[in-house]
Amino acid sequence: MSDKTNDSQTLGPDGVGEPTRRDFLYIATGMAGAVGAVAAAWPFIDQMRPDASTLALASIEVDVSALQPGMSLTVKWRGKPVFIRNRTEKEIEDAKGVPMAELKDPVARNANLSPDATASDVDRSAGKGKENWIVMIGSCTHLGCVPLGQAGEYGGWFCPCHGSVYDTAGRIRKGPAPENLHIPNYAFISDKVIRIG
């Protein structure tokens, strides 16, 4: 008698074949090949990503000379919309008149100030002498939708997806959004040019 192993498939009681050693070898070889292909492709995929220093230095300059009071501009920065608004005197006065106790989020969320700065109108704006300018990342802090400008009951921004309402300083007043619209790092490099980033 021969001690050879029989690789032919044996049928089980339900008529389905039981796996053999050859089946296992096919599966193991296929898996090893797939892992090897991914390992070989990864350096090519990884080199397409920009490095951290490129992302950290990414900035844009925006000419706002054409924006009269009451006008807005939306630009794209790092793949996100950024709202730039030259507010009217009435919009500034409305924002200044809101008691801090009424605010849902009392923090400024302004990357140009300390993290604990309050959400006063001046801390949300471009600062003393430039209170008319407001620059904010245009992504709702609820789920990242893009709110509509000069809409909603406070005359600021309204996110129709889930009903978040922001005032003329970009502060959340009603709806599910937990935070004010965030303000990126920016500076006026001249009277009419803003550098964002």
Side-chain angles (χ1 to χ4, degrees), residues 9-19:
Q9 200 169 37
T10 309
L11 295 179
D14 57 357
V16 177
E18 294 180 13

Side-chain angles (χ1 to χ4, degrees), residues 45-64:
I45 295 167
D46 190 47
Q47 61 93 21
M48 290 187 250
R49 295 184 309 145
D51 71 355
S53 63
T54 302
L55 290 175
L57 296 174
S59 65
I60 60 169
E61 291 182 5
V62 182
D63 182 353
V64 294

Side-chain angles (χ1 to χ4, degrees), residues 2 20 22 35 40 44 63 77 88-90 101 109 117 125 128 146 150 167 169 173 175 177-178 184 189 194:
S2 170
T20 64
R22 182 173 290 159
V35 169
F44 298 107
D63 182 353
W77 172 68
T88 64
E89 287 296 325
K90 181 180 183 327
R109 309 283 173 204
S125 72
K128 296 256 187 233
V146 178
Q150 294 68 63
D167 66 13
R173 299 296 297 280
I189 58 173
I194 301 173

Side-chain angles (χ1 to χ4, degrees), residues 74-183:
T74 302
V75 296
K76 196 168 194 174
W77 172 68
R78 293 186 181 177
K80 302 173 194 168
V82 174
F83 299 150
I84 301 171
R85 181 154 178 83
N86 187 353
R87 300 184 299 170
T88 64
E89 287 296 325
K90 181 180 183 327
E91 289 173 330
I92 296 167
E93 291 308 313
D94 288 348
K96 283 182 178 176
V98 176
M100 294 297 287
E102 285 185 17
L103 296 177
K104 188 174 177 181
D105 180 13
V107 180
R109 309 283 173 204
N110 187 337
N112 303 289
L113 303 175
S114 68
D116 60 345
T118 63
S120 66
D121 181 67
V122 72
D123 284 350
R124 297 279 304 161
S125 72
K128 296 256 187 233
K130 292 193 180 302
E131 291 95 344
N132 56 311
W133 292 103
I134 190 157
V135 178
M136 304 175 299
I137 295 175
S139 295
C140 180
T141 58
H142 178 229
L143 292 176
C145 307
V146 178
L148 304 173
Q150 294 68 63
E153 64 187 278
Y154 299 100
W157 289 264
F158 172 67
C159 186
C161 300
H162 300 98
S164 294
V165 183
Y166 300 88
D167 66 13
T168 58
R171 300 173 296 198
I172 183 63
R173 299 296 297 280
K174 286 186 176 177
E179 297 177 349
N180 301 322
L181 293 175
H182 292 213
I183 297 173

